[in-house]
Amino acid sequence: MIFAQDKRGAIWYFGYGGVGIDFSDVNNPTPLDNGANMATREGCTSVCDSNGALLFYSNGEFIWDSSQTPMPNGSNLSGNESATQSVLAAPVIGEDHRYYLFTVDAHENSGAKGLRYSIVDMDLEGNGTLSEPKGDIDPAHKDIMLTTGAVSEKLTIAKHKNERDYWVIVKTNSLNEYHAFLVSEEGIATTPITTSFAVSGNPRGALVASADGEMLVEADINSVNIYDFDNCTGKIKDGYLTLSTSYTYGVCFSPNDSIIYFADGIVAGKGRLFTFDRYSNDILGSVDTIAFSTIRPRAMKLGIDQKIYFTDFSSTKLIHTIQNPNDRFNPQIKDSTFVFSFPGVRYGLPNNYFPSLINIVEDKKLAINDTTICSEAPISIGLANKDSSLQYIWTNNISMDTLEGSSPLAYISQSITFHVSTVGVCSQILDKDTTTITISEELCNTQLFIPNAVSLNSDGINDYLNIIKEGDIVIDQFILYDRYGKKVFDNNHLNELRNGVLFENSALVYILTYTEKGISKIKTGSILALNNE
């Protein structure tokens, strides 16, 4: 099967000794052992460009470029390779060459270094050249603190409802609060949205968001927790589901976002996977268990080949897969998908966030012009690039047929300025604009003249029929009939009248439809075509 998608997650590095997986051939991924500079027991991240070329990878403490060399400014970061999700890479919105690198400390240090971020700029020379840069951490954006207190090892990203922004979510070390930081084109909002729960838990284990950003699932070592997330506001909704387990560390959603997989690694020396139907009316009641005799699942991650990969408590050489994760009753576990030649596989797999490359949030800028009209004339205030998926809110102090919509009809008797806002999902104001409607008494003085004869001698004088109009008049349609009642002309482009239509010494009847001061009118009459040669 061929998967049409970008390859920003095409190369993974994890564990000790530079082990990894190469998904460049998405239908035939292969093991790697060439990332020899990184050592991590748990947290890590890897980032490629959209074609699958490696850009960088990190364990949260150091960052390496595509040449397997540490970036010059890529050391002494505040992550910890012993933290479950020590590091998380995500794109800077609107800047293809820059990436955020979020880090958290380990439970061994009580998460004291908190949540921090750095920016990796791939246009910086780094270990490359000016013409072929390798990237480096921007010195002005390195290891910047976001939280004022200690955090747990749980770090993830949920997509915003507007499908462009996203939320960086971390659980505090006190284990009863979650902080959600909004990331948008303006950067990172440094004041988080906080949700508090009166629950106990464990600082270890993974926190993962569904692909649509509307659910959070948490492996809490001795339990699994499932939350509904409001990705408009950044708040976790009231109420949550929890199930006691033995040693649950990893969690992953299926490619179609409907099935939740939890890895439970220790049950009397054996392991198991829990699966839940996310859309069931009784999610906990939908649980199904996949038991193993030797495998003890730990970290889990969805590959770009639409299979779920997981590490094993029992082995430092093996990676296993769920081959058919969209079917929880027939997931097809493949034991020992990759067997590495040395004990480099540890507990973690890469943690990253790659939103769709398709910019589904198009330019929502308003396009509206100022207008001059005759007094007391109704006018439709239309937007040039209206979008049916958006709301348009108008403010005014006179009669308007609606305060919403893209083209309201206004009845005005004085010059006025209208204000309009476009409102997207989550009541987010995307743009504002104004339009000024000016009253002109000159437009009120209208005249319409149609000559009753034209000459056809091609002397350049009165050879064509011209309608003379002044003031607020718009020609809608002009129709000519010959004396037999046959239509010989039907167009509002009068310069298209030629001698082939106006027969010499012939009488024609016209019907003119026009709009005067916003009111539709009809005028009829006759025209004589003469040849004065």
Side-chain angles (χ1 to χ4, degrees), residues 146-161:
L146 282 174
T147 58
T148 56
V151 299
S152 72
E153 299 181 2
K154 303 176 189 293
L155 175 63
T156 193
I157 284 179
K159 180 172 65 175
H160 193 283
K161 187 72 171 181

Side-chain angles (χ1 to χ4, degrees), residues 124-140:
L124 293 179
E125 184 176 348
N127 295 310
T129 63
L130 288 175
S131 60
E132 296 183 0
K134 291 291 185 182
D136 202 356
I137 289 182
D138 181 349

Side-chain angles (χ1 to χ4, degrees), residues 223-388:
S223 67
V224 296
N225 304 316
I226 301 173
Y227 308 92
D228 286 325
F229 181 67
D230 186 339
N231 58 351
C232 277
T233 66
K235 295 283 287 188
I236 296 175
K237 298 180 180 180
D238 292 339
Y240 67 97
L241 304 174
T242 187
L243 177 70
S244 297
T245 59
S246 297
Y247 198 99
T248 308
Y249 181 91
V251 59
C252 193
F253 281 87
S254 60
N256 64 9
D257 222 22
S258 68
I259 302 169
I260 310 166
Y261 288 85
F262 284 98
D264 197 15
I266 300 176
V267 184
K270 299 180 182 180
R272 58 187 175 180
L273 292 175
F274 293 115
T275 68
F276 298 88
D277 180 354
R278 174 189 173 183
Y279 297 111
S280 170
N281 292 328
D282 180 12
I283 295 178
L284 292 183
S286 73
V287 64
D288 194 48
T289 303
I290 303 169
F292 300 106
S293 58
T294 58
I295 298 175
R296 293 161 55 191
R298 190 151 185 174
M300 309 183 76
K301 181 172 177 61
L302 179 66
I304 66 172
D305 60 352
Q306 310 297 289
K307 300 173 184 177
I308 294 176
Y309 291 74
F310 60 96
T311 59
D312 189 343
F313 271 108
S314 303
S315 173
T316 56
K317 293 185 177 182
L318 299 179
I319 292 288
H320 314 290
T321 53
I322 303 174
Q323 298 281 302
N324 187 33
N326 283 334
D327 185 351
R328 71 190 189 98
F329 299 111
N330 183 32
Q332 299 178 20
I333 307 299
K334 184 177 181 180
D335 186 353
S336 305
T337 303
F338 295 116
V339 180
F340 294 90
S341 59
F342 56 90
V345 181
R346 308 305 287 179
Y347 306 140
L349 291 172
N351 189 22
N352 41 39
Y353 173 74
F354 301 127
S356 171
L357 283 174
I358 301 174
N359 184 12
I360 60 176
V361 181
E362 299 174 353
D363 183 12
K364 304 301 182 185
K365 295 296 182 182
L366 291 166
I368 186 167
N369 298 319
D370 295 340
T371 306
T372 301
I373 65 171
C374 175
S375 61
E376 301 183 5
I379 180 171
S380 177
I381 310 173
L383 301 177
N385 59 342
K386 55 192 176 184
D387 185 328
S388 60

Side-chain angles (χ1 to χ4, degrees), residues 115 147 151 168-172 177-181 192-195:
L115 171 65
T147 58
V151 299
V168 176
I169 305 169
V170 65
K171 191 175 187 179
T172 64
E177 287 186 336
Y178 296 83
H179 294 317
F181 294 85
I193 304 299
T194 299
T195 305

Side-chain angles (χ1 to χ4, degrees), residues 169-220:
I169 305 169
V170 65
K171 191 175 187 179
T172 64
N173 199 50
S174 63
L175 305 178
N176 63 351
E177 287 186 336
Y178 296 83
H179 294 317
F181 294 85
L182 177 63
V183 181
S184 66
E185 266 191 319
E186 285 71 43
I188 303 172
T190 56
T191 300
I193 304 299
T194 299
T195 305
S196 300
F197 285 100
V199 297
S200 60
N202 196 295
R204 296 169 295 166
L207 175 67
V208 175
S210 57
D212 63 12
E214 297 180 359
M215 179 173 280
L216 298 175
V217 291
E218 177 182 39
D220 215 22

